Amino acid sequence: DAGVTQSPTHLIKTRGQQVTLRCSPISGHKSVSWYQQVLGQGPQFIFQYYEKEERGRGNFPDRFSARQFPNYSSELNVNALLLGDSALYLCASSPHPEAGAGSGELFFGEGSRLTVL
Amino acid sequence: AQSVTQPDIHITVSEGASLELRCNYSYGATPYLFWYVQSPGQGLQLLLKYFSGDTLVQGIKGFEAEFKRSQSSFNLRKPSVHWSDAAEYFCAVVPLGGYNKLIFGAGTRLAVHP
């Protein structure tokens, strides 16, 4: 069975540009979350969507936005890129709306590494 | 605010030696607790989790962790480390009602010497 897939795997942008990252969850998973992992730090929560509705938002500026499609895939958009946006962006899926329900396990993709020059 | 502290940034052990990775959390109530592992070029994989009940939990790959409420700790252990265990290990919490919002520590990078 396919795991969580993310695209692109690597990309380079310049300051001020916009980027769209894509995520396909595991089949049957209705929840998708996005995390930012800056080098040397743990992942930081950006968004969670369940059944196409936003269920949580982390402490990120409005330049960050996301959406979930009817097939449960998701996109993360970042506008007006800054050097500090350089990071590994991780997508995770789960069959549950809450981590406390069921297994509570998130299944992570390998990430999209964004470099902003 | 909820936080997770992993005091050890980098640990090196010899293959076959025992391992303990430390994790402390700051939260008013007992959160859900997790350990994830990230190998180079791969996504994070869940090792084990604690929701309630028995404070000693068993995970995959021979890992276990013990929840100690009095110390707000959830330390990860393995009795005998294999070279393939070299990776970065993250402790994480989900506050009650926090949906799938995981709060991660900064991670501990484990190196294994032959």
Side-chain angles (χ1 to χ4, degrees), chain A residues 25-33 48-53 68-69 71-73 92-97, chain B residues 100:
Chain A
I26 292 172
S27 178
H29 287 194
K30 299 180 178 180
S31 172
V32 169
S33 303
Q48 191 226 348
Y49 280 79
Y50 181 76
E51 286 279 19
K52 302 180 289 296
E53 291 188 0
Q68 187 177 32
F69 299 98
N71 66 353
Y72 303 110
S73 67
S93 76
S94 167
H96 307 291
Chain B
N100 278 324

Side-chain angles (χ1 to χ4, degrees), chain A residues 15-63:
Chain A
R15 282 178 296 174
Q17 286 189 312
Q18 175 264 342
V19 67
T20 297
L21 308 177
R22 296 177 177 82
C23 172
S24 293
I26 292 172
S27 178
H29 287 194
K30 299 180 178 180
S31 172
V32 169
S33 303
W34 287 94
Y35 288 79
Q36 180 196 64
Q37 186 177 16
V38 173
L39 195 62
Q41 297 181 20
Q44 275 197 294
F45 173 77
I46 309 176
F47 287 109
Q48 191 226 348
Y49 280 79
Y50 181 76
E51 286 279 19
K52 302 180 289 296
E53 291 188 0
E54 183 182 302
R55 298 294 293 269
R57 171 187 283 259
N59 188 25
F60 280 83
D62 292 343
R63 299 184 297 108

Side-chain angles (χ1 to χ4, degrees), chain B residues 24-57:
Chain B
N24 294 94
Y25 65 90
S26 171
Y27 188 61
T30 301
Y32 300 132
L33 296 158
F34 304 81
W35 276 97
Y36 279 82
V37 60
Q38 186 176 34
S39 298
Q42 296 186 20
L44 284 83
Q45 181 184 22
L46 180 68
L47 284 176
L48 46 77
K49 58 188 181 287
Y50 173 79
F51 286 170
S52 64
D54 193 348
T55 57
L56 185 64
V57 294

